[in-house]
Amino acid sequence: MKINSFGVVDTAIQRPCTHFDERPNDDDISLLVIHNISLPAGQFATPFVDDLFMGCIDCQAHPSFADLAGLRVSAHCFIKRSGEIVQYVPFSKRAWHAGRSEFLGRNQCNDFSIGIELEGTDTTAYTQNQYNALQSLTKALINKYPAITRSRIVGHCHIAPGRKTDPGDSFDWNHYFAAL
């Protein structure tokens, strides 16, 4: 797995979205944030995560989608339960994944982070295919952006405590880190 100079993964499916902007400092990519998402919650292999990141989700498709109307969010990559990686935003650009956030006294983590979404929930075990894909992607990211170190890989829960809980108790940090 390779990441080119534009921040594009050679093995990922490319789904360029418009929910991103320029980073304030191109040379300041120093944090990896792991998230989870499923739409509707707990349902996998639906088109709705892709629709959300592409800005075309039908908020009438499920009652739980009502609060998604007008929401503009994205992640750099989404890892499906199969291990397939979909890239929405090049790593060189600022994806809108972290919201109000803080890491080591620094606010607005989107400015300097990469956001990876795992298809899942806080309480459903992730698949080995997802761990394999995440570990390979993480190695490629560390190679491309050496400021991302093990101590600078966190969950959304770590940068937005009290507001976010993902990737949840179901994420096996020891298993993930063991292969890095």
Side-chain angles (χ1 to χ4, degrees), residues 149-170:
T149 62
R150 184 178 169 137
S151 65
R152 296 184 68 86
I153 299 173
V154 299
H156 200 185
C157 58
H158 300 115
I159 62 168
R163 188 173 71 81
K164 294 295 182 178
T165 58
D166 55 314
D169 293 336
S170 60

Side-chain angles (χ1 to χ4, degrees), residues 38-56:
S38 57
L39 292 172
Q43 294 184 28
F44 307 132
T46 72
F48 300 116
V49 171
D50 185 73
D51 291 349
L52 177 67
F53 292 156
M54 295 302 290
C56 61

